[in-house]
Amino acid sequence: MAERNATLGSTIQALLEEKKYSTIKDVLVTMEPADVAGILEEIGDVRIPKIFRLLPKEQAAETFAELDPELQELLIRGFSDAELHDIIEELYVDDAVDLVEEMPANVVKRILSQANPDTRKEINDLLRYPENSAGSIMTTEYVSLRPTMTVRDAINRIRSTGVDKETIYTCYVTENRKLLGQVSVKDMILCTDESTPVSQIMDEHVISVSTLTDQEEVAQMLSKYNFLALPVIDTDGHMVGIVTFDDAMDVMVEETTEDIEKMAAILPSDKTYLRSNAWDLFRHRIPWLALLMVSATFTGMIITGFEDALAAVVVLTAFIPMLMDTGGNSGSQASVSIIRALSLGELEFADLPKVVWKEIQTAVLCGCALALLCFGKIMLVDKLIMGADVNLLTAAVVCCTMAVTVLIAKIVGCTLPMGAQKLGLDPAVMASPFITTIVDALSLLVYFGIAKALLF
Amino acid sequence: MAERNATLGSTIQALLEEKKYSTIKDVLVTMEPADVAGILEEIGDVRIPKIFRLLPKEQAAETFAELDPELQELLIRGFSDAELHDIIEELYVDDAVDLVEEMPANVVKRILSQANPDTRKEINDLLRYPENSAGSIMTTEYVSLRPTMTVRDAINRIRSTGVDKETIYTCYVTENRKLLGQVSVKDMILCTDESTPVSQIMDEHVISVSTLTDQEEVAQMLSKYNFLALPVIDTDGHMVGIVTFDDAMDVMVEETTEDIEKMAAILPSDKTYLRSNAWDLFRHRIPWLALLMVSATFTGMIITGFEDALAAVVVLTAFIPMLMDTGGNSGSQASVSIIRALSLGELEFADLPKVVWKEIQTAVLCGCALALLCFGKIMLVDKLIMGADVNLLTAAVVCCTMAVTVLIAKIVGCTLPMGAQKLGLDPAVMASPFITTIVDALSLLVYFGIAKALLF
């Protein structure tokens, strides 16, 4: 896809040089808003407003919603008041809210001053919901029906108001702003008698969320039930909006990226990789790097404490990286599996005993297999081929440590994320780097403990 | 959600003891299929077929599609031929294909023998597409219209055939199986004149995918364009099916889980964590653990090669874990950011110079900050407080190594995944564990190199 846009982008630029505006318009109107946005971003040029003005009103608004905040700001600064007013009114209100959240204060002021009073009120209402709540991602533009309407009335209502609604396919039956039921356009089309009241064909068992429900939970529910939209109810029990599946998809991608970043010891960021500069990357990466570096002091202290043992059997040092890496890898395998299962809602704290038992069994299997392999490797590769100064007893020390380290790593790796979740912390933070640091220290203690017992 | 089902599950069990079947039925019919499936799985009992038979036909089929393969098999073994026939015919054909793929051979034989000849042919056709292709996840149940039909004809056609279609909201206009355009139910409802031919209101610029397109790309396109469905075209240019947004959501979750598993050095698995037993976990975890353990031999060899240096300045050993961990963490920060951006389609190989330059800048910032912090830590904590035998020169060696290691780690961390992608390999495999092993070896070489230059 990216390549197709790239080629089209250069074609558009060539047409622009030749001032062939009507050709450009003919090409752009055939395209999806996301692709037009891609082309504008590729051109990235002072002539963007000129191209943007060629788009028909609705496509212009949809393309605008897909643009990077930088380009949105550039366009807004170039818009006349009338143009800005048209775009704001044409945008879905949840997209307008996203825009207001991204723009600097002086641009926000201009946006709000150009919006109609109704739109301004809606935007301000939505801005008041906490970040990452259902309220903050919902839209207020849904089709509401009265229970006494017939199917014919309902279809007429959709016809008169539907063009501005984010989805028309699920309609909500309300009375005094209380949600009574939902009815799909499919049900209405399949209903053979158009004079049937909607209250008769509506589904009264509506699954809804509250304005304060976490957006990740909303996305999981939409995905679980395969719904097009979920209604949102405020604390007074009134229906105030809907969250649609496309917003849920965006939330899922965003939340997963955040989880992955946390697992890699990066503070989560809203910006994509290419849009972050080196300073942004630095700020998001240095805190964990510094913290983990300092906490590696303990590992260093353990080594210092056993300096005499290491000086006596120098070859022991050579196995430290292998033991530490294997421990780290074993722990992160367990923690990452658990974190993913937690974030998909497959696991809960009550499963802890089951999980620990499963990890212990797995650790015994992995630990024994690795210990055997390691023993073979030491005696064949290290001793015979490389001629290292290692005897059977030393090999036994290394292999015992290996098995015990894997066991410790798997147990720490599965309990820490589940404990974090229980304490209301984010389990993703308990991922590889954090666990590696703990497992490093523990595995060295085991190593020197076993070495002291067997070798000295 | 899980808790709500848990409570309902025990209520249903209590009602079952008292044989109150009509009450159970009244409760279940109000619920979404995904929730009914959750309750059946919680009850997990020989009485499941009894409860299942209480469900109305359509709800039964939808609930069946949501169940774990183990329960599906249990139900099928208990079904009469007539019951099995009804379920198969009621299932959407893509769900039937999923079922056939999961069941053992003798069950598959029975399923296919009970399906109508048409259904059997459709299932067999879909089974022939390669795994993870658009063909393998599409459904053949979509609404197709002729270009000469009027809006009224089209709505009548939806009314007569729509009940079995996976979505009716996007209809496809075809002639001789060639896709001419698409028209949404929204466009038809908003069209005021019902005698307008659909060819006049259809959108001719339809974005489609091929049967062989990778399922991940299909999911990304649905998410990018916010479509409800994407048409699938075979190699002869005929329209053969659609992929709907709910399947795309499932694909996204599945592919992301796979990426995350690969990043944590686990071979990807189709089973969820709770459904995998210890042997499954072992088989998916041991290959990378063993490979990485063996490759840590190189790190050990480097240490052995510098044994004399370590014996002379014993304190150098104590800093090895800190240097290795910081290198590993720096590398995995870079690689994980890049892998995520690649899998979201934000980056491509052509961006490599830009990416490397950004990582170098970030590495200089992180490296200098860490080196300074490390110097302070060594002189204050290690020397003053802990009384370690470390002088200014040794501290300088450690801090220089730190800065260089971070630089190497960030460059390796960003180039390896992009190179893998270019070579057609999966970038996710180039994540933390693999990079840690490489960075470990490189950072030790740097450490001993600098130590030799400055200390001896």
Side-chain angles (χ1 to χ4, degrees), chain A residues 62-94:
Chain A
E62 287 179 27
T63 301
F64 187 83
E66 299 277 350
L67 288 172
D68 279 350
E70 289 78 10
L71 268 188
Q72 290 178 327
E73 193 179 333
L74 183 146
L75 279 173
I76 291 178
R77 293 194 186 277
F79 282 156
S80 69
D81 284 352
E83 283 174 320
L84 182 57
H85 172 268
D86 286 351
I87 285 281
I88 303 296
E89 294 301 322
E90 193 70 37
L91 280 179
Y92 289 124
V93 69
D94 54 344

Side-chain angles (χ1 to χ4, degrees), chain A residues 35 159 169 186 189 224-225 253 256-257 265 273-274 276 285 297 325 333 340 358-359 377 440, chain B residues 35 159 169 186 189 224-225 253 256-257 265 273-274 276 285 297 325 333 340 358-359 377 440:
Chain A
D35 286 331
R159 198 167 279 152
Y169 297 132
K186 182 172 182 176
I189 287 186
K224 176 179 173 191
Y225 297 120
V253 170
T256 310
T257 303
Y273 183 80
L274 276 183
S276 311
R285 291 179 182 181
T297 309
D325 281 352
Q333 286 182 333
R340 182 66 179 159
K358 199 177 279 186
E359 288 297 336
K377 194 211 81 155
D440 278 354
Chain B
D35 286 331
R159 198 167 281 153
Y169 297 133
K186 182 172 181 175
I189 287 186
K224 175 178 174 191
Y225 297 121
V253 170
T256 310
T257 303
Y273 183 79
L274 276 183
S276 312
R285 291 179 183 181
T297 308
D325 281 351
Q333 286 182 334
R340 183 67 180 157
K358 199 177 281 185
E359 288 297 336
K377 192 212 83 154
D440 279 355

